[in-house]
Amino acid sequence: MCGIVGIVGKSNAERIILNGLERLEYRGYDSAGLYVADRTSDHLVKAQGRIKNLEEKVTSEVTGTIGIGHTRWATHGKPSEMNAHPHTSANQALVLVHNGVIENFEELHQEYLSNHQFEGQTDTEIVVHLIEVLKSKTTARPKQPSKKLCP
Ligand code: GLU
């Protein structure tokens, strides 16, 4: 069963996330990853296997004030660095971790994302791409002219 840690802080989000993920290790997992950002940079780091493997890839420049982390128990797609969470939207603007199963991910893929390229095989990746598509439709909708109610 996966674990999720999120932080909105002032510094060293990566350390807080790694500590949190270590505390969730008992739940079982096959890979782990984290995303951290501050006003000037962001970083996405993933590793197959133990949190220790992830920690080794978190170099001194991987730092931020906000972030999310995840330990994955694969349900869709093999355990691998590629399939580890977080997953990003095509435009890299959205970053998602997810616990559980998206039962209708194939239908969502066919209906909305048939022209999208995916890096891995997870159901989660479908969702982050879908949010991007739906968000762009919502924000692209022209505003209705305001109607005058009274003469
Ligand atoms: N279904 C997702 C995957 O296979 C999430 C699994 C989990 O809960 O860790 O990546």
Side-chain angles (χ1 to χ4, degrees):
M1 207 190 295
C2 86
I4 292 174
V5 179
I7 167 94
V8 176
K10 293 196 165 123
S11 64
N12 298 327
E14 68 291 347
R15 285 288 127 214
I16 295 163
I17 291 168
L18 285 168
N19 287 341
L21 293 179
E22 276 168 5
R23 293 175 69 168
L24 292 169
E25 279 193 292
Y26 73 93
R27 292 162 64 93
Y29 63 101
D30 53 63
S31 55
L34 62 78
Y35 170 86
V36 291
D38 57 24
R39 289 179 190 277
T40 58
S41 66
D42 66 345
H43 307 270
L44 179 64
V45 186
K46 305 183 192 191
Q48 192 174 349
R50 307 301 302 268
I51 303 294
K52 169 168 76 60
N53 302 348
L54 178 67
E55 199 158 9
E56 281 167 12
K57 295 172 84 174
V58 176
T59 55
S60 57
E61 60 266 21
V62 178
T63 190
T65 53
I66 64 166
I68 49 177
H70 184 266
T71 48
R72 176 177 187 240
W73 185 298
T75 64
H76 293 70
K78 63 182 180 186
S80 68
E81 186 177 321
M82 188 75 83
N83 285 329
H85 302 206
H87 290 287
T88 55
S89 55
N91 65 5
Q92 309 291 308
L94 305 173
V95 183
L96 184 78
V97 297
H98 150 242
N99 177 10
V101 171
I102 311 295
E103 300 281 357
N104 62 341
F105 83 101
E106 278 169 349
E107 288 88 340
L108 293 172
H109 184 190
Q110 280 163 20
E111 179 83 24
Y112 299 103
L113 304 165
S114 53
N115 59 348
H116 275 236
Q117 297 286 326
F118 297 93
E119 290 184 354
Q121 299 88 37
T122 69
D123 48 346
T124 309
E125 207 178 341
I126 301 286
V127 174
V128 72
H129 280 241
L130 181 61
I131 294 170
E132 179 186 353
V133 168
L134 298 178
K135 194 169 172 292
S136 70
K137 285 188 177 161
T138 314
T139 49
R141 188 178 298 151
K143 280 190 178 163
Q144 296 296 316
S146 56
K147 288 182 187 144
K148 284 191 178 161
L149 297 174
C150 317

